[in-house]
Amino acid sequence: MKSAFFFQLTGLLSQIWVKVTGYSLMAVVTALAAIWLRAFIPAELEVKLGADAVETVLSIVATSMLTVATFSLGIMANAISGAADGATPRATALLLEDHVSQNALATFLGAFSFSLVGIIALQIGVYEDGGRIILLGGTIVVIILIYVAFIRWVNLLRSFGRIPDTLNRIETAAEDALKRRLDHPFLDCHPYTAADDDHGDLIALCPDQVGFVQHIDTTKLQACAETHDVEVLVERTPGQFASLNRPLAYLRTKAAHLDGDALDELTGCFTLGAARTIKQDPQFGMIMLSETAAGALSPAVNDPGTAIDVLRRALRILLCWDTRPAPEIKHDRIWMPGLIPEGFLRDLIRPIARDGAGIVEVQHVLQSILLDLAQSRPDVFASAAKAQSREAYERAEAGLTLQSDKDEVREIANKLAHLRVKADPPAAL
């Protein structure tokens, strides 16, 4: 897993204001660079290229770009608001991190900054002859960049913020996060479950704030554990909630106690935040998908097709989950829980089964998805799929009115209930 510094830096660079600020600063530097580069331009070239026209072009760009940027920002805000209402508010972070929209806004504001600085410099006469040529060349490049960004932005607006686009983003983010975690199922630490140890003789490592674990710097945690001669049994992995009554980890040590500085150093290896993030937490993707489906199944929307689409997308994601050889242990003083299939299916299936209990089409696809998972990945999902199938069928039995609909769902549920697997799946992978 990445270091805490790199994790926070990545999060910072994904913010829209960082890119806008960077583009604007580069635009200002480019406009001012003409002052130092003017000496390399022959004087007779200004007459041939008509460098005096640059001020007119810059005035047009400056006048239009601020309006375009403001208009684009309004469109982006409306799209994000629509995604929050139509899908789930948890998906807005994915829209805010969209590279095309960020680049478009940054280009428009950067072009405005470039034009404004260029006009001011022209008015005070710092460019002289050669500088105007450099500024004209830079203006042509800026106009080309504006056209490219605007075309890409217009193409994105065809789908930006709509439910299919939002679901595509959730699916891609969840699948990428799951694949990364499966490559390091225990984050290069010893496998661990809460039942492995009696915590009575261990020291609880409690956080200094309440929130969700967003990241664990395992390299730093290993170094701290070696320094203080402790073994760390992690209780809260990325995506889980931590508080004073929910310790981040338990410490096994020969010492009677650890001083406050040691505990603070170990606690600092965990990054906590007010909200979950999908990058380190693939299970959060299941929650976003199920919330989108639950919203579509509400009486006000009545869109079972979206719920069915969500289930099939979730199937594609979860089929990436396969058994792999025992991972290499790089951090021998840390014990880390793995991903739990039961948690993934519970977060995905339960809301859809509850809100779609009276819709036979949704129940049919739901049971079929669970059967596909159990047949395709029996060592991972068979037990969890059977449990969710039983619960979903009980809801369908109570929600469906026609006997033929109940029989249809029962037939698929019975196939899963009688499915034979070679061995019981592991509790965590």
Side-chain angles (χ1 to χ4, degrees):
M1 183 172 277
K2 302 174 183 177
S3 67
F5 171 78
F6 191 79
F7 172 77
Q8 294 173 355
L9 179 62
T10 302
L12 178 65
L13 294 178
S14 67
Q15 300 295 315
I16 187 171
W17 69 268
V18 175
K19 186 168 290 187
V20 170
T21 302
Y23 274 49
S24 298
L25 290 176
M26 286 191 295
V28 171
V29 170
T30 302
L32 296 178
I35 299 174
W36 289 276
L37 295 175
R38 62 191 179 188
F40 300 96
I41 303 299
E44 62 272 11
L45 191 61
E46 180 186 14
V47 179
K48 296 180 180 179
L49 295 180
D52 289 336
V54 66
E55 186 172 353
T56 303
V57 177
L58 287 175
S59 298
I60 296 173
V61 173
T63 303
S64 59
M65 280 302 98
L66 187 60
T67 303
V68 171
T70 303
F71 179 70
S72 299
L73 187 60
I75 293 176
M76 185 176 180
N78 290 333
I80 292 172
S81 177
D85 295 337
T88 170
R90 260 60 62 187
T92 56
L94 298 177
L95 295 175
L96 287 171
E97 294 177 359
D98 178 74
H99 294 298
V100 175
S101 59
Q102 287 188 355
N103 288 338
L105 289 173
T107 300
F108 298 153
L109 288 176
F112 171 75
S113 301
F114 174 85
S115 303
L116 191 62
V117 172
I119 292 172
I120 294 173
L122 285 171
Q123 291 297 321
I124 62 178
V126 298
Y127 281 128
E128 298 180 355
D129 296 341
R132 289 174 177 267
I133 298 297
I134 298 295
L135 189 62
L136 178 62
T139 303
I140 295 173
V141 173
V142 168
I143 292 175
I144 294 174
L145 293 176
I146 291 171
Y147 271 104
V148 172
F150 189 75
I151 292 172
R152 294 183 67 195
W153 176 232
V154 170
N155 182 63
L156 176 67
L157 291 180
R158 295 182 302 113
S159 59
F160 188 62
R162 291 176 171 83
I163 288 183
D165 175 65
T166 304
L167 289 177
N168 283 336
R169 295 175 189 274
I170 296 173
E171 180 182 357
T172 300
E175 184 174 337
D176 291 344
L178 180 59
K179 288 180 178 179
R180 286 195 301 268
R181 183 61 190 272
L182 290 176
D183 289 337
H184 305 276
F186 302 101
L187 306 182
D188 301 326
C189 306
H190 293 286
Y192 170 71
T193 61
D196 285 346
D197 238 290
D198 178 11
H199 298 154
D201 297 331
L202 304 180
I203 300 175
L205 184 66
C206 297
D208 53 5
Q209 60 177 312
V210 175
F212 291 96
V213 177
Q214 295 181 340
H215 178 267
I216 303 176
D217 190 341
T218 50
T219 301
K220 181 180 177 182
L221 187 60
Q222 169 72 15
C224 292
E226 292 175 351
T227 300
H228 301 290
D229 192 21
V230 298
E231 294 178 344
V232 183
L233 283 61
V234 176
E235 286 287 310
R236 301 291 161 186
T237 56
Q240 294 185 312
F241 191 75
S243 66
L244 293 179
N245 295 322
R246 300 179 181 183
L248 296 169
Y250 287 96
L251 308 177
R252 184 189 295 131
T253 177
K254 298 177 182 178
H257 69 280
L258 292 175
D259 58 37
D261 292 339
L263 294 176
D264 290 341
E265 188 176 351
L266 291 165
T267 304
C269 300
F270 295 78
T271 302
L272 272 67
R276 298 174 72 169
T277 58
I278 196 172
K279 292 181 180 179
Q280 306 289 338
D281 179 15
Q283 190 170 335
F284 189 42
M286 299 295 104
I287 295 176
M288 288 195 285
L289 288 174
S290 66
E291 287 181 346
T292 303
L297 292 172
S298 65
V301 179
N302 191 23
D303 179 19
T306 294
I308 292 172
D309 185 27
V310 163
L311 288 167
R312 288 171 176 159
R313 290 175 183 271
L315 176 64
R316 287 197 293 267
I317 296 171
L318 294 175
L319 285 179
C320 299
W321 195 332
D322 53 4
T323 54
R324 308 195 177 187
E328 179 185 1
I329 298 175
K330 298 180 181 178
H331 310 301
D332 59 354
R333 286 181 173 265
I334 307 173
W335 278 254
M336 184 74 63
L339 299 178
I340 302 176
E342 288 80 3
F344 275 70
L345 290 188
R346 181 183 61 250
D347 289 342
L348 171 69
I349 298 298
R350 182 175 290 174
I352 302 175
R354 179 195 62 221
D355 296 336
I359 305 176
V360 64
E361 295 85 0
V362 174
Q363 292 295 332
H364 180 103
V365 174
L366 187 150
Q367 294 288 347
S368 299
I369 293 300
L370 291 174
L371 179 60
D372 288 344
L373 284 173
Q375 290 176 331
S376 302
R377 300 288 186 267
D379 51 343
V380 179
F381 290 112
S383 178
K386 287 182 178 181
Q388 289 302 317
S389 175
R390 288 192 298 269
E391 182 179 322
Y393 177 70
E394 291 176 2
R395 297 181 186 275
E397 186 76 18
L400 296 172
T401 55
L402 289 178
Q403 186 59 43
S404 59
D405 291 345
K406 296 180 181 180
D407 293 340
E408 179 182 337
V409 177
R410 184 188 301 113
E411 181 181 357
I412 307 174
N414 284 336
K415 289 181 181 179
L416 178 54
H418 294 91
L419 182 68
R420 293 174 177 262
V421 295
K422 294 181 180 180
D424 292 331
L429 297 175

Short mmCIF file of all heavy atoms in Angstrom, two decimals, residues 28-52:
data_model
loop_
_atom_site.label_atom_id
_atom_site.label_comp_id
_atom_site.label_asym_id
_atom_site.label_seq_id
_atom_site.Cartn_x
_atom_site.Cartn_y
_atom_site.Cartn_z
N VAL A 28 0.23 32.34 -16.73
CA VAL A 28 0.88 33.60 -16.35
C VAL A 28 2.37 33.54 -16.67
O VAL A 28 2.94 34.49 -17.21
CB VAL A 28 0.63 33.89 -14.86
CG1 VAL A 28 1.47 35.07 -14.40
CG2 VAL A 28 -0.85 34.15 -14.60
N VAL A 29 3.01 32.42 -16.33
CA VAL A 29 4.44 32.28 -16.61
C VAL A 29 4.71 32.33 -18.11
O VAL A 29 5.67 32.96 -18.58
CB VAL A 29 4.96 30.96 -16.00
CG1 VAL A 29 6.39 30.68 -16.48
CG2 VAL A 29 4.92 31.01 -14.49
N THR A 30 3.81 31.68 -18.89
CA THR A 30 3.99 31.69 -20.35
C THR A 30 3.87 33.09 -20.91
O THR A 30 4.65 33.51 -21.79
CB THR A 30 2.94 30.78 -21.00
OG1 THR A 30 3.06 29.46 -20.48
CG2 THR A 30 3.12 30.74 -22.51
N ALA A 31 2.89 33.84 -20.40
CA ALA A 31 2.71 35.21 -20.89
C ALA A 31 3.91 36.09 -20.54
O ALA A 31 4.35 36.92 -21.36
CB ALA A 31 1.43 35.80 -20.31
N LEU A 32 4.45 35.92 -19.35
CA LEU A 32 5.60 36.73 -18.94
C LEU A 32 6.91 36.26 -19.56
O LEU A 32 7.87 37.03 -19.63
CB LEU A 32 5.70 36.71 -17.41
CG LEU A 32 4.54 37.35 -16.64
CD1 LEU A 32 4.76 37.21 -15.13
CD2 LEU A 32 4.39 38.83 -17.02
N ALA A 33 6.94 34.99 -20.00
CA ALA A 33 8.18 34.47 -20.59
C ALA A 33 8.55 35.21 -21.86
O ALA A 33 9.74 35.25 -22.25
CB ALA A 33 8.03 32.97 -20.88
N ALA A 34 7.54 35.79 -22.52
CA ALA A 34 7.84 36.53 -23.75
C ALA A 34 8.77 37.72 -23.50
O ALA A 34 9.48 38.16 -24.41
CB ALA A 34 6.53 37.01 -24.39
N ILE A 35 8.78 38.23 -22.28
CA ILE A 35 9.65 39.37 -21.95
C ILE A 35 11.11 38.95 -22.06
O ILE A 35 11.96 39.71 -22.58
CB ILE A 35 9.33 39.89 -20.54
CG1 ILE A 35 7.87 40.36 -20.47
CG2 ILE A 35 10.28 41.01 -20.15
CD1 ILE A 35 7.44 40.77 -19.07
N TRP A 36 11.44 37.75 -21.62
CA TRP A 36 12.84 37.28 -21.64
C TRP A 36 13.22 36.66 -22.99
O TRP A 36 14.39 36.63 -23.34
CB TRP A 36 13.05 36.26 -20.53
CG TRP A 36 13.02 36.87 -19.16
CD1 TRP A 36 14.06 37.47 -18.50
CD2 TRP A 36 11.89 37.00 -18.31
NE1 TRP A 36 13.65 37.94 -17.28
CE2 TRP A 36 12.32 37.67 -17.12
CE3 TRP A 36 10.55 36.61 -18.40
CZ2 TRP A 36 11.46 37.95 -16.07
CZ3 TRP A 36 9.70 36.90 -17.34
CH2 TRP A 36 10.14 37.56 -16.20
N LEU A 37 12.22 36.21 -23.74
CA LEU A 37 12.52 35.56 -25.02
C LEU A 37 12.52 36.53 -26.19
O LEU A 37 12.85 36.14 -27.32
CB LEU A 37 11.49 34.45 -25.29
CG LEU A 37 11.50 33.28 -24.32
CD1 LEU A 37 10.34 32.34 -24.63
CD2 LEU A 37 12.82 32.54 -24.37
N ARG A 38 12.18 37.80 -25.96
CA ARG A 38 12.05 38.74 -27.06
C ARG A 38 13.37 38.99 -27.79
O ARG A 38 13.40 39.30 -28.99
CB ARG A 38 11.49 40.06 -26.54
CG ARG A 38 12.39 40.75 -25.53
CD ARG A 38 11.71 41.90 -24.84
NE ARG A 38 12.60 42.52 -23.85
CZ ARG A 38 12.22 43.44 -23.00
NH1 ARG A 38 10.95 43.85 -23.01
NH2 ARG A 38 13.08 43.96 -22.14
N ALA A 39 14.47 38.84 -27.08
CA ALA A 39 15.78 39.12 -27.69
C ALA A 39 16.13 38.13 -28.79
O ALA A 39 17.00 38.41 -29.63
CB ALA A 39 16.86 39.11 -26.61
N PHE A 40 15.47 36.95 -28.82
CA PHE A 40 15.82 35.94 -29.81
C PHE A 40 15.00 36.08 -31.09
O PHE A 40 15.16 35.28 -32.01
CB PHE A 40 15.58 34.55 -29.21
CG PHE A 40 16.41 34.28 -27.99
CD1 PHE A 40 15.88 34.47 -26.72
CD2 PHE A 40 17.72 33.85 -28.12
CE1 PHE A 40 16.66 34.22 -25.59
CE2 PHE A 40 18.49 33.60 -26.99
CZ PHE A 40 17.96 33.79 -25.72
N ILE A 41 14.09 37.06 -31.18
CA ILE A 41 13.21 37.22 -32.34
C ILE A 41 13.73 38.38 -33.20
O ILE A 41 13.94 39.50 -32.70
CB ILE A 41 11.77 37.51 -31.89
CG1 ILE A 41 11.28 36.37 -30.98
CG2 ILE A 41 10.85 37.65 -33.09
CD1 ILE A 41 11.26 35.02 -31.63
N PRO A 42 13.95 38.13 -34.50
CA PRO A 42 14.40 39.22 -35.39
C PRO A 42 13.36 40.33 -35.47
O PRO A 42 12.15 40.08 -35.47
CB PRO A 42 14.55 38.52 -36.75
CG PRO A 42 14.70 37.06 -36.42
CD PRO A 42 13.90 36.84 -35.18
N ALA A 43 13.79 41.58 -35.55
CA ALA A 43 12.88 42.72 -35.54
C ALA A 43 11.99 42.74 -36.78
O ALA A 43 10.82 43.12 -36.71
CB ALA A 43 13.67 44.02 -35.42
N GLU A 44 12.54 42.32 -37.95
CA GLU A 44 11.76 42.39 -39.19
C GLU A 44 10.61 41.38 -39.22
O GLU A 44 9.68 41.50 -40.02
CB GLU A 44 12.66 42.17 -40.41
CG GLU A 44 13.33 40.80 -40.46
CD GLU A 44 14.65 40.78 -39.71
OE1 GLU A 44 14.93 41.77 -38.99
OE2 GLU A 44 15.39 39.80 -39.84
N LEU A 45 10.67 40.38 -38.34
CA LEU A 45 9.61 39.37 -38.34
C LEU A 45 8.29 39.94 -37.83
O LEU A 45 7.22 39.48 -38.20
CB LEU A 45 10.04 38.19 -37.46
CG LEU A 45 9.19 36.92 -37.55
CD1 LEU A 45 9.20 36.37 -38.97
CD2 LEU A 45 9.72 35.87 -36.58
N GLU A 46 8.32 40.98 -36.99
CA GLU A 46 7.11 41.58 -36.45
C GLU A 46 6.25 42.17 -37.56
O GLU A 46 5.02 42.03 -37.54
CB GLU A 46 7.47 42.67 -35.44
CG GLU A 46 6.22 43.34 -34.84
CD GLU A 46 6.59 44.50 -33.95
OE1 GLU A 46 7.75 44.94 -34.00
OE2 GLU A 46 5.69 44.96 -33.23
N VAL A 47 6.88 42.81 -38.53
CA VAL A 47 6.12 43.43 -39.62
C VAL A 47 5.44 42.38 -40.47
O VAL A 47 4.29 42.52 -40.87
CB VAL A 47 7.06 44.31 -40.47
CG1 VAL A 47 6.30 44.94 -41.63
CG2 VAL A 47 7.71 45.38 -39.61
N LYS A 48 6.15 41.28 -40.74
CA LYS A 48 5.59 40.22 -41.59
C LYS A 48 4.40 39.54 -40.92
O LYS A 48 3.43 39.17 -41.57
CB LYS A 48 6.68 39.20 -41.90
CG LYS A 48 7.82 39.76 -42.73
CD LYS A 48 8.87 38.68 -43.01
CE LYS A 48 10.01 39.25 -43.83
NZ LYS A 48 11.06 38.23 -44.11
N LEU A 49 4.45 39.33 -39.60
CA LEU A 49 3.40 38.58 -38.93
C LEU A 49 2.27 39.47 -38.37
O LEU A 49 1.27 38.96 -37.91
CB LEU A 49 4.01 37.78 -37.77
CG LEU A 49 4.98 36.67 -38.17
CD1 LEU A 49 5.50 35.96 -36.94
CD2 LEU A 49 4.31 35.67 -39.12
N GLY A 50 2.44 40.76 -38.41
CA GLY A 50 1.41 41.65 -37.91
C GLY A 50 1.21 41.48 -36.42
O GLY A 50 0.12 41.19 -35.94
N ALA A 51 2.25 41.68 -35.65
CA ALA A 51 2.20 41.42 -34.22
C ALA A 51 1.26 42.36 -33.47
O ALA A 51 0.85 42.08 -32.36
CB ALA A 51 3.61 41.54 -33.62
N ASP A 52 0.91 43.50 -34.09
CA ASP A 52 0.02 44.44 -33.41
C ASP A 52 -1.38 43.86 -33.21
O ASP A 52 -2.15 44.34 -32.38
CB ASP A 52 -0.08 45.74 -34.22
CG ASP A 52 1.21 46.55 -34.15
OD1 ASP A 52 1.95 46.36 -33.16
OD2 ASP A 52 1.47 47.34 -35.06
#
